């Protein structure tokens, strides 16, 4: 099974690890360039790069994806790559790209679905695999899986659960996955645009609370979602 994996942070690395453990190692991993992190600004490789190199998987870190060579791969998986995939790159994969999103699409499209679900007091969330197009989290749904949000759930605990769920769901559907035009057992279904909601990137200001005025329940959700 010849595919490329796009992803950068911990969420992506946990999914990639599940795939490798199950015998679905990609032909290559595409992630963001190494970045300075921490107070000392130490140049640090992304978690997916560290994992890929551990298993001898080639790593590519282009600043821009325009003109990226898909290296003969038949399809790709994208999980928290944090860059828009150009149409020319999507079209270069004969079987398209499977997007992985930690929400029940079309709810919570965008950058912060896990935090948003906790902040809004949702009782459940999940993961969605979808046929990626040039719009953000927009393509036809391949498969979904739901999970309850516990009353004390934090961003970190929920992120780990969703990454594990996404990895297991990918392992389940990959043997059935075929070309978008037919040939596989999976038949993607269009998202209901009337139910679409969108998230945003958070700033430091979003984490501020007023202990004299804010609802204690909202403060607790902020601590769990944004700490």
């Amino acid at each position: 099974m010849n595919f490329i994996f796009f992803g950068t942070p911990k969420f992506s690395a946990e999914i990639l690890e599940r795939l490798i453990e199950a015998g679905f190692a990609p032909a290559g991993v595409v992630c963001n360039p190494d970045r300075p992190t921490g107070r000392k600004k130490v140049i640090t490789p992304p978690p997916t790069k560290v994992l890929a190199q551990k298993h001898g998987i080639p790593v590519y870190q282009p600043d821009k994806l325009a003109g990226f060579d898909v290296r003969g791969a038949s399809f790709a998986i994208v999980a928290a790559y944090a860059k828009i995939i150009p149409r020319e790159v999507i079209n270069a994969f004969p079987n398209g790209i499977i997007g992985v999103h930690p929400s029940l699409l079309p709810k919570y499209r965008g950058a912060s679905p896990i935090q948003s679900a906790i902040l809004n007091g949702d009782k459940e969330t999940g993961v969605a695999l979808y046929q990626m197009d040039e719009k953000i989290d927009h393509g036809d749904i391949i498969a979904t899986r739901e999970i309850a949000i516990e009353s004390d759930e934090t961003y970190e605990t929920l992120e780990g659960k969703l990454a594990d769920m996404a990895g297991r769901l990918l392992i389940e559907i990959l043997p059935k996955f075929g070309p978008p035009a037919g040939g596989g057992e999976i038949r993607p279904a269009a998202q209901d645009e009337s139910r679409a909601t969108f998230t945003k990137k958070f700033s430091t200001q979003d984490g501020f609370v007023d202990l004299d005025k804010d609802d204690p329940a909202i403060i607790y959700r902020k601590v769990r979602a944004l700490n």
Side-chain angles (χ1 to χ4, degrees):
M1 187 171 285
N2 189 6
F3 71 95
I4 300 291
F5 185 92
F6 290 76
T8 297
K10 177 184 174 184
F11 177 77
S12 310
E14 291 183 4
I15 294 172
L16 178 60
E17 187 169 28
R18 299 294 178 277
L19 292 173
I20 294 171
E21 289 173 349
F24 293 108
V29 169
V30 181
C31 59
N32 285 347
D34 298 0
R35 306 287 192 198
T37 59
R39 293 181 178 179
K40 295 184 178 180
K41 301 299 181 183
V42 177
I43 301 299
T44 305
T48 48
K49 177 181 180 178
V50 174
L51 180 62
Q53 290 181 330
K54 175 182 175 182
H55 291 276
I57 299 170
V59 176
Y60 309 98
Q61 298 177 277
D63 285 315
K64 296 181 179 180
L65 280 176
F68 176 74
D69 179 5
V70 303
R71 293 164 174 78
S74 61
F75 70 98
I77 295 173
V78 174
Y81 178 54
K83 289 183 179 180
I84 299 296
I85 310 292
R87 176 188 284 273
E88 65 182 87
V89 176
I90 296 173
N91 292 342
F93 292 99
N95 289 359
I97 296 179
I98 300 175
V100 181
H101 192 69
S103 81
L104 297 172
L105 291 173
K107 190 174 185 178
Y108 297 144
R109 292 173 176 171
S112 55
I114 301 175
Q115 299 97 319
S116 296
I118 296 174
L119 284 172
N120 290 334
D122 290 1
K123 301 299 183 183
E124 65 178 18
T125 186
V127 296
L129 308 183
Y130 65 100
Q131 193 82 53
M132 182 173 283
D133 59 22
E134 69 277 9
K135 297 180 182 180
I136 296 175
D137 304 325
H138 173 270
D140 292 353
I141 298 294
I142 296 170
T144 60
R145 190 67 49 84
E146 297 179 5
I147 187 174
I149 300 177
E150 303 295 336
S151 60
D152 60 348
E153 200 86 73
T154 66
Y155 171 81
E156 286 191 341
T157 62
L158 188 55
E159 178 191 48
K161 291 177 182 179
L162 292 172
D164 180 69
M165 178 177 286
R168 294 180 187 278
L169 188 56
L170 280 166
I171 292 165
E172 180 181 318
I173 70 99
L174 283 179
K176 307 173 185 178
F177 183 69
E185 297 178 40
I186 301 297
R187 293 291 182 268
Q191 295 188 37
D192 181 354
E193 291 299 312
S194 68
R195 296 176 53 246
T197 60
F198 298 85
T199 64
K200 67 172 186 175
K201 290 184 178 180
F202 290 102
S203 67
T204 301
Q205 186 70 30
D206 292 312
F208 290 162
V209 299
D210 187 329
L211 295 177
D212 294 324
K213 298 179 181 179
D214 290 352
D215 182 339
I218 300 300
I219 294 174
Y220 184 48
R221 290 178 195 169
K222 281 192 173 185
V223 171
R224 289 160 49 213
L226 303 176
N227 188 5

